[in-house]
Amino acid sequence: MPYDLVIRRATLIAGDGSKPFEADIAVNGDRIAAIGRLDDAQGIEQIDAKGKVVAPGFIDVHTHDDGALLAPLGMDPKISQGVTTVIAGNCGVSLAPLLLNGTPPPPFTLVGGRENFRFDRFADYVAELKRRGIATNAALLVGHTTLRQRCMPVTDRPANEAETVAMQDAVAEAMAEGAFGLSTGLDYPPAIDSSTDEVKALAATAAHLGGPYVTHTRNYFETMDEAIEEAIDIADHAGGKLFISHHQCTGRANFGKSRPSLERIDRARETMDIGMDVYPYAASSTVLRLQRCDTGLKILVTWSDPHPEMARREIADIAREWNCTEREAGQRLLPAGAVYFQLDEDDVRNIIAHPRTMIGSDGLPHDIHPHPRLWGTFPRVLGHYARDIGLLTLEEAVFRMTGLPAKEFGIAQRGLLAEGNFADLVIFDPETIIDTATFEEPRRPAAGIEHVFVNGVPVWRGGRATGALPGAVLKPSASKTLVRGACGCAEDHSAS
Ligand code: ZN
Ligand code: CU
């Protein structure tokens, strides 16, 4: 019997950090069927991949793709990079479970407009993804900010006991319905007004169920050290894994702080389990923040509701045109988003080089003029940081975007080239792979990505999407069912 697909004479990078080797690889259905010398094997489809690398499809551990997964062509920025699995629901903002009437306020805009906020239960969102079909696999987090909006009548204060219990129940329910863990975005309203105790309670519920605490910390700027301490304290109390999202040292006063912060994380690791992710650029992007205006910082507008025509322009330039201060200009642009050129390249490199750092794009798919990380992150790490700069070997770079995140997040049978594993595969040219998206032209697909398969089905080839939607909504392999009351609430959440 012929295989469905045989890829011949490829350089295989297995995804566990081991050295590349030459071999053929065969696929049947959604699985890797054989790896080795397959001279006699027939394939219904055959690809000669001499000189090309075959690696496990990349896992983008930090995304805001909750809404993009639902949109036609919404995942093109990811499949064009070789990404086959995304982790959504980050920075405290998950699409579900939340019904929103009216225009969503920031930071809910990270995952789209009001039409997206229509899932009263986490399970409703999962069912909709399955019904429509998705281009990549998806692992979903449930967001603290989303639960505050759901469970609190006003959100500009810490949650009281009853509200905290309601959010704990919602975490447990979401996890029974497939969520991998809890995310927070403590830097943004309305989560900025939460108490550490409130977050500890929710993180404990997630940890009881085997889920990690994934945090956009309280602050990456003025009080970045205290914010890392708070994250460690919360996860230590909860007893589960901690992932620090897009680790960075923001603002000139923090340049060079990656060394002490990584040392602090390593020290905490002696008694607890901590990982982190990074995007490979020295500029950040989020909603437009007025306190950053008029500080001499270069700020690029990525979207604006009242002034969409100002996307891609610098705020200093807009202020000049409007004959006002940057802050006044910012006020008129709100709600809006921005890129901030406020990170130090040496810090970015130190963080990428740390052995526990995973790669996460933090791409913002709904921005009019997005940060180039949305389309460029993975090829930039492979082409720029691994091949051109030599910051890490190619197999180590692949490990940080495949085997490591699969292990860290408990994603079974993916992230590794092995017989019997799911056939999430990328074929790329190690000589030419590179990001081409820039701050000026951010929507350009990367170069050097030749074929991308999700569950054995091609989703990207010859520079374009095939339109196939073979992705699966993943279930965590680490999750436990909860005995009644173990998370401190009254309901029985045991998954059937
Ligand atoms: Zn974030
Ligand atoms: Cu984010």
Side-chain angles (χ1 to χ4, degrees):
M1 283 285 282
Y3 293 109
D4 291 337
L5 167 70
V6 179
I7 306 167
R8 297 193 185 280
R9 303 196 294 170
T11 301
L12 266 51
I13 296 185
D16 57 1
S18 61
K19 287 245 171 299
F21 62 102
E22 302 259 308
D24 309 323
I25 178 166
V27 172
N28 257 348
D30 62 359
R31 304 289 176 143
I32 297 172
I35 295 174
R37 286 216 45 179
L38 306 171
D39 292 350
D40 301 330
Q42 297 296 309
I44 294 169
E45 189 192 344
Q46 314 223 33
I47 296 173
D48 182 353
K50 186 164 171 50
K52 307 290 155 59
V53 167
V54 177
F58 309 138
I59 298 172
D60 187 348
V61 295
H62 190 101
T63 84
H64 298 287
D65 287 335
D66 306 47
L69 285 161
L70 296 167
L73 311 180
M75 298 307 286
D76 282 9
K78 298 302 166 68
I79 56 178
S80 63
Q81 296 181 57
V83 169
T84 57
T85 296
V86 297
I87 299 181
N90 276 285
C91 296
V93 180
S94 58
L95 209 48
L98 184 61
L99 297 174
L100 271 186
N101 295 316
T103 310
F108 293 102
T109 43
L110 287 174
V111 291
R114 80 188 273 183
E115 67 288 351
N116 281 349
F117 287 91
R118 57 179 192 274
F119 306 106
D120 192 28
R121 292 183 58 124
F122 202 82
D124 296 341
Y125 175 54
V126 171
E128 180 69 357
L129 293 175
K130 288 182 175 166
R131 192 183 69 76
R132 300 172 75 107
I134 49 181
T136 66
N137 305 305
L140 308 170
L141 301 170
V142 63
H144 166 234
T145 300
T146 294
L147 297 183
R148 290 192 116 231
Q149 191 74 23
R150 179 187 176 87
C151 299
M152 296 174 68
V154 289
T155 52
D156 58 353
R157 56 163 174 79
N160 64 31
E161 210 182 307
E163 290 157 351
T164 303
V165 169
M167 288 193 282
Q168 286 182 290
D169 282 357
V171 169
E173 185 172 289
M175 289 191 64
E177 294 169 356
F180 272 64
L182 172 72
S183 81
T184 59
L186 304 181
D187 198 11
Y188 299 112
I192 206 163
D193 295 309
S194 64
S195 68
T196 303
D197 282 344
E198 163 190 338
V199 183
K200 278 182 176 172
L202 270 62
T205 300
H208 280 143
L209 293 163
Y213 174 56
V214 183
T215 183
H216 173 134
T217 67
R218 188 82 66 175
N219 190 295
Y220 291 81
F221 203 99
E222 297 86 352
T223 56
M224 77 165 265
D225 301 325
E226 291 88 332
I228 291 173
E229 292 308 322
E230 185 193 31
I232 290 172
D233 180 37
I234 289 167
D236 189 38
H237 173 272
K241 262 192 179 190
L242 169 63
F243 293 116
I244 295 178
S245 297
H246 40 67
H247 183 39
Q248 59 189 268
C249 315
T250 309
R252 196 157 280 283
N254 286 319
F255 284 10
K257 271 202 182 171
S258 58
R259 282 196 195 284
S261 73
L262 291 170
E263 274 167 27
R264 176 66 189 102
I265 290 167
D266 283 338
R267 211 165 353 108
R269 187 168 299 125
E270 289 166 14
T271 55
M272 56 192 289
D273 200 354
I274 310 182
M276 67 195 133
D277 62 75
V278 72
Y279 52 81
Y281 295 85
S284 59
S285 184
T286 182
V287 293
L288 178 62
R289 302 180 132 179
L290 297 183
Q291 67 267 36
R292 300 280 184 268
C293 295
D294 294 313
T295 61
L297 184 67
K298 180 174 159 186
I299 301 174
L300 190 69
V301 175
T302 54
W303 62 274
S304 162
D305 262 0
H307 292 283
E309 75 283 4
M310 290 303 172
R312 84 172 289 169
R313 292 195 44 193
E314 281 181 40
I315 195 127
D317 192 33
I318 299 168
R320 229 172 288 124
E321 182 176 317
W322 287 352
N323 198 17
C324 63
T325 64
E326 289 182 20
R327 204 185 165 90
E328 284 160 357
Q331 191 75 53
R332 286 166 63 180
L333 292 166
L334 290 178
V339 166
Y340 305 86
F341 294 85
Q342 58 183 356
L343 304 176
D344 179 45
E345 177 65 23
D346 285 344
D347 285 326
V348 173
R349 291 184 189 189
N350 281 341
I351 295 167
I352 294 174
H354 190 281
R356 281 292 288 274
T357 300
M358 301 175 280
I359 308 303
S361 70
D362 202 8
L364 302 176
H366 305 282
D367 288 10
I368 296 172
H369 185 77
H371 187 303
R373 66 194 186 191
L374 176 65
W375 288 81
T377 288
F378 292 82
R380 180 169 172 81
V381 170
L382 296 168
H384 178 64
Y385 285 107
R387 181 192 58 222
D388 295 347
I389 302 228
L391 185 65
L392 60 187
T393 63
L394 193 59
E395 58 269 25
E396 177 69 14
V398 168
F399 171 60
R400 308 297 195 75
M401 48 185 80
T402 58
L404 181 63
K407 179 165 142 273
E408 292 277 42
F409 279 92
I411 297 171
Q413 295 191 292
R414 299 181 194 272
L416 204 65
L417 297 184
E419 288 172 13
N421 272 6
F422 288 98
D424 292 344
L425 303 172
V426 52
I427 306 179
F428 67 86
D429 185 335
E431 303 294 323
T432 61
I433 187 168
I434 198 72
D435 57 307
T436 69
T438 63
F439 290 98
E440 294 75 36
E441 294 292 338
R443 291 184 186 277
R444 291 210 289 234
I449 302 286
E450 306 208 337
H451 301 260
V452 183
F453 299 86
V454 171
N455 295 312
V457 177
V459 293
W460 183 269
R461 59 181 15 164
R464 55 197 310 170
T466 65
L469 300 171
V473 182
L474 304 182
K475 290 214 177 80
S477 63
S479 77
K480 303 171 206 153
T481 50
L482 190 64
V483 192
R484 176 182 287 265
C487 70
C489 72
E491 269 177 66
D492 183 355
H493 301 298
S494 13
S496 49

